[in-house]
Amino acid sequence: MTKAKEKPPVEKGENLAFQAEVAKLLDIVVHSLYSNREIFLRELISNASDACDKLRYAALTQPSLTDGSAYEIHIAPDAKAKTLTVRDNGIGMSHDELVANLGTIAKSGTADFLKGLSGDAAKDVSQIGKFGVGFYSAFMVADKVSVTSKKAGETQGWLWESDGRGTFSVSPTEDAARGTRIVLHLKDDATEFADPTSLRRIVRTYSDHIALPVILDPAPGAETKEEGETPEAPKEETLNSASALWMRPKNEITAEQYKEFYHHVGHAFDEPWHTLHYRAEGAVEYTALLFIPSQKPFDLFHPERKGQVKLYVNRVFISDTLEGMMPRYLRFVRGVVDSPDLPLNISREILQDNPLLKKIQSGIVQRLVKDLKKRAESAEDYAKFWDTFGAVFKEGLYEDFERREELLDLARFTSTHGDGLVSLKDYASRMKEGQDAIYYITGDNAAALKASPQLEGFLAKGIEVLLLTDPIDEFWVPSVGVYDKKPLRSVGESGADLSGIKGGDQKEEEPLGAAAETAVKDLIEKLKKTLGEAVADVKSSTRLTGSPVCLVADSGGMSLHLARLLKQHGEGPAGAAVRKVLEINPKHDVIKKLMAVGGEAFDDVAFLLLDQARIVEGETVPDPAAFARRMSTVMAKGLI
Ligand code: ADP
């Protein structure tokens, strides 16, 4: 984050350029975001409400920051001047905060997110929806925005102004009260936002749940309406219910109100996939209103991403980044938790370790798990959740030891059994006679995995294999190890012996016969000698049916997929440390013929087989020139 450095107060104004990311965002906001422009007001009211929450919290320890007056948000339209003003008496912003907050984007992962935008307006707009433009959405309706702000406890106020085209100015002003006043100079096609009737509707639609009063100031000149027109009441008018939504009884809250609250609290734009609202009594009392989004937040996998559940103590906002509020594997959950039992006057750091907070967390997770179980009854519905957050949820399989069994039951996988998602329970119920393990294969994508030679023998026997394609799978599987007393076993490990498992319409496997056994042994010795250091071992295998060879990891060693993942991140052991085993299919024609070949031709074919196995496994061929030469030699012979 590029926070402005401390500098002496600026006497005169200064002109500054927006951070490149902001300029790009503004360009999209101004030129492409037309649908649903009215949400800018929700964003500004949301910020105003957060600013009041922050001051209320700060004033707990520093009462002199406020004069004790009530927190309020005012919106004041002026149709004549074509302006709309949104004002709060919250914490305000200092000079440096104005520059940092309204000139840069501090969200971690922003740069990466914006880099990923395609330049195609339609696509980018939907992406931006996931990201949330916050304050900058003001430029959808205004061609100039003036922000006057005075930080609580400071004497100097500041005026920030911009037309959203690359630069902004900041100058000192005497005309500032504590808090923030935002004046939108409305575009010609946005004058509806200076109309009290529109504003009433917009605030009721999007911001009814805001816990502070949102007050419509009388429009200037409203008293002097012409005869026959209904005069606008020349008094302040509170537009929203102004009570904390989470404290209201469930049956008084509509789905629409829940959704808008979710948009506010989660800085989100999608529909919640799940809403959980309940009050807990007993060892610790609290109210929770939680949401599982339907869309992946842009920074879900960003290492710095924190939980997004806001903690309130008796309706006083405490923190939205409290470690320990939510386990990491539920970091996509958003919402509010409010408990009167937590102490108000202690620091966030101390609160973090409060045993009551742990109890609350445990209660929340239990409820969420219970709800997920219920929703998992509809496979189609649950798949939506799983496709979006499954990869994160699986972190819980090794992080949340206590709930491992429950979480395992909630996990879903793609497998060789059809196209849908399967649970471990489904898998276990289909296991073949003589099968004692749950088989899985790890890799980058399911389609490639399905075609892997490592699976051939399993497919032939109709043995189901789980196709694990999330990087996280490499970590939870070894740590979990078993499900319902059945070990999880990688098909990519050498030594997979399927001979004891009945299934498929494969004929009884014919034994090779003593002579052939000896020939295979000799061949293996020869291959080992030829391939030398390139492989850790060469083995005969029953897993292969159509392919002559495949590459597997030495049993007990790191999987080839994990080794590749680590390498991509510049970590992990050098290639040689991962022990790769070449498995051969003694019934394949190439292998049979190879037994009769000697000399250089043998060497060429041996290395070609190894390279072929590497390619199928998703690896690169270490010496492409040698590969091409051998290939040509062998082809030339074959073409005679
Ligand atoms: P977000 O609200 O998602 O952080 P915004 O772009 O809307 O993003 O706002 C950026 C920051 O500017 C906020 O996090 C807050 O610190 C500050 N800010 C915005 N509006 C106000 C306000 N009315 N009062 C005080 N600070 C504000």
Side-chain angles (χ1 to χ4, degrees):
M1 153 170 166
T2 47
K3 261 233 147 92
K5 282 196 209 86
E6 284 299 329
K7 16 178 153 158
V10 188
E11 289 306 323
K12 282 193 251 114
E14 52 183 335
N15 282 307
L16 296 161
F18 285 115
Q19 178 196 22
E21 283 87 355
V22 178
K24 185 164 177 187
L25 195 64
L26 278 171
D27 194 53
I28 299 173
V29 167
V30 172
H31 293 110
S32 320
L33 276 185
Y34 284 115
S35 66
N36 213 13
R37 288 195 299 179
E38 61 196 33
I39 57 109
F40 80 91
L41 190 55
R42 167 186 84 195
E43 299 296 305
L44 298 185
I45 291 176
S46 200
N47 282 347
S49 158
D50 288 349
C52 293
D53 273 353
K54 282 181 200 161
L55 181 55
R56 202 194 318 244
Y57 177 73
L60 289 176
T61 45
Q62 240 184 305
S64 64
L65 288 178
T66 71
D67 54 9
S69 57
Y71 293 103
E72 288 176 354
I73 301 164
H74 286 256
I75 57 176
D78 185 337
K80 226 169 171 189
K82 289 205 288 180
T83 60
L84 172 67
T85 303
V86 179
R87 167 167 69 86
D88 66 69
N89 54 358
I91 195 148
M93 284 175 273
S94 65
H95 167 273
D96 290 358
E97 284 168 341
L98 271 173
V99 172
N101 294 340
L102 309 186
T104 62
I105 309 181
K107 285 180 200 165
S108 45
T110 302
D112 286 347
F113 171 79
L114 287 166
K115 245 183 257 150
L117 293 179
S118 61
D120 172 337
K123 274 193 214 134
D124 288 351
V125 168
S126 73
Q127 287 295 106
I128 289 278
K130 285 186 208 169
F131 176 75
V133 283
F135 166 78
Y136 301 109
S137 62
F139 289 99
M140 292 196 285
V141 298
D143 44 27
K144 181 178 155 194
V145 177
S146 312
V147 181
T148 307
S149 199
K150 185 152 90 178
K151 175 122 184 172
E154 292 187 4
T155 49
Q156 180 67 62
W158 297 93
L159 172 65
W160 178 105
E161 281 190 305
S162 176
D163 61 4
R165 290 162 201 256
T167 61
F168 60 95
S169 67
V170 183
S171 47
T173 175
E174 296 317 308
D175 177 30
R178 185 198 79 212
T180 302
R181 184 174 79 228
I182 301 178
V183 181
L184 308 176
H185 300 268
L186 297 169
K187 291 182 181 174
D188 288 338
D189 65 356
T191 48
E192 63 189 280
F193 301 112
D195 168 25
T197 313
S198 306
L199 294 170
R200 279 190 196 99
R201 180 186 58 76
I202 297 170
V203 171
R204 284 187 191 129
T205 308
Y206 299 105
S207 306
D208 186 59
H209 54 77
I210 292 285
L212 308 173
V214 179
I215 297 164
L216 180 67
D217 287 349
E223 311 88 318
T224 60
K225 282 258 163 160
E226 279 174 31
E227 237 179 291
E229 282 186 32
T230 341
E232 293 292 341
K235 55 176 169 45
E236 293 186 341
E237 178 188 347
T238 301
L239 299 182
N240 63 332
S241 315
S243 70
L245 184 90
W246 60 91
M247 299 308 280
R248 296 189 216 161
K250 267 165 96 158
N251 56 9
E252 287 175 20
I253 307 173
T254 65
E256 202 55 34
Q257 284 173 322
Y258 273 131
K259 182 174 107 181
E260 284 314 327
F261 182 74
Y262 160 66
H263 286 171
H264 162 66
V265 75
H267 293 266
F269 287 74
D270 55 338
E271 298 269 336
W273 177 79
H274 188 71
T275 303
L276 169 62
H277 186 190
Y278 70 97
R279 183 182 310 240
E281 274 151 10
V284 53
E285 192 183 313
Y286 66 92
T287 300
L289 174 49
L290 303 169
F291 303 93
I292 298 176
S294 55
Q295 281 191 357
K296 219 178 259 183
F298 78 100
D299 61 346
L300 188 59
F301 290 102
H302 200 277
E304 279 168 39
R305 185 185 159 88
K306 302 232 166 67
Q308 305 260 335
V309 172
K310 294 188 175 193
L311 178 69
Y312 284 73
V313 173
N314 253 339
R315 265 151 282 181
V316 177
F317 170 71
I318 304 295
S319 173
D320 53 4
T321 51
L322 211 61
E323 294 272 335
M325 192 65 250
M326 265 294 156
R328 267 191 64 76
Y329 69 94
L330 292 174
R331 62 183 176 271
F332 49 82
V333 174
R334 303 183 177 210
V336 165
V337 173
D338 191 339
S339 172
D341 289 353
L342 290 169
L344 242 188
N345 262 319
I346 54 174
S347 77
R348 290 174 183 147
E349 288 69 32
I350 297 175
L351 195 57
Q352 222 145 269
D353 298 324
N354 189 300
L356 285 181
L357 194 69
K358 296 220 159 60
K359 278 215 173 87
I360 293 176
Q361 191 213 69
S362 159
I364 291 174
V365 176
Q366 200 180 333
R367 289 293 291 248
L368 281 169
V369 165
K370 192 171 139 208
D371 278 17
L372 284 173
K373 271 187 202 163
K374 218 179 283 159
R375 292 202 60 173
E377 286 166 16
S378 159
E380 200 185 325
D381 177 39
Y382 191 67
K384 286 186 207 141
F385 162 74
W386 193 259
D387 288 342
T388 317
F389 296 117
V392 172
F393 192 79
K394 280 189 278 188
E395 291 174 18
L397 295 174
Y398 62 82
E399 275 177 7
D400 195 343
F401 193 75
E402 251 172 72
R403 290 191 188 77
R404 179 173 281 177
E405 297 307 316
E406 279 181 294
L407 301 186
L408 272 175
D409 277 330
L410 282 170
R412 294 291 178 272
F413 308 91
T414 44
S415 88
T416 50
H417 182 92
D419 293 329
L421 292 172
V422 304
S423 67
L424 289 176
K425 208 165 161 196
D426 297 335
Y427 184 105
S429 71
R430 291 193 283 260
M431 278 169 62
K432 299 279 173 205
E433 200 187 324
Q435 180 183 351
D436 60 355
I438 294 172
Y439 288 102
Y440 68 90
I441 181 167
T442 55
D444 297 331
N445 78 74
L449 286 180
K450 265 188 184 169
S452 166
Q454 295 178 359
L455 291 193
E456 286 172 2
F458 292 86
L459 293 180
K461 288 204 163 195
I463 302 169
E464 184 171 0
V465 178
L466 302 176
L467 309 169
L468 306 183
T469 52
D470 289 316
I472 195 73
D473 295 323
E474 293 286 359
F475 300 95
W476 73 261
V477 176
S479 120
V480 169
V482 282
Y483 169 76
D484 192 22
K485 303 203 187 87
K486 299 167 184 74
L488 298 163
R489 192 169 296 151
S490 167
V491 304
E493 249 178 45
S494 79
D497 182 10
L498 308 180
S499 54
I501 305 175
K502 297 208 172 67
D505 31 58
Q506 245 198 342
K507 283 171 241 107
E508 267 310 296
E509 271 160 40
E510 294 160 34
L512 280 175
E517 294 262 6
T518 322
V520 171
K521 264 199 195 122
D522 291 348
L523 176 66
I524 287 176
E525 283 315 308
K526 246 172 110 183
L527 281 169
K528 276 193 205 172
K529 222 160 128 202
T530 307
L531 298 174
E533 293 287 295
V535 291
D537 205 353
V538 180
K539 287 180 183 171
S540 171
S541 163
T542 57
R543 81 164 82 225
L544 295 164
T545 58
S547 304
V549 288
C550 74
L551 213 49
V552 295
D554 202 1
S555 97
M558 185 186 284
S559 86
L560 302 186
H561 178 237
L562 177 58
R564 265 201 309 283
L565 281 177
L566 291 174
K567 204 168 153 199
Q568 278 162 16
H569 289 87
E571 288 167 36
V578 185
R579 296 173 52 82
K580 293 173 193 168
V581 176
L582 185 72
E583 289 193 351
I584 60 167
N585 175 2
K587 293 182 182 164
H588 196 282
D589 272 355
V590 174
I591 302 296
K592 282 188 198 154
K593 285 185 183 159
L594 192 58
M595 293 175 187
V597 181
E600 238 174 80
F602 181 89
D603 292 3
D604 281 344
V605 175
F607 275 104
L608 278 176
L609 284 172
L610 175 59
D611 280 343
Q612 169 186 338
R614 283 175 172 143
I615 292 169
V616 176
E617 176 52 34
E619 312 219 333
T620 47
V621 171
D623 186 351
F627 170 75
R629 185 174 36 75
R630 289 183 185 122
M631 182 74 120
S632 304
T633 313
V634 172
M635 281 197 290
K637 279 187 191 142
L639 288 175
I640 294 167

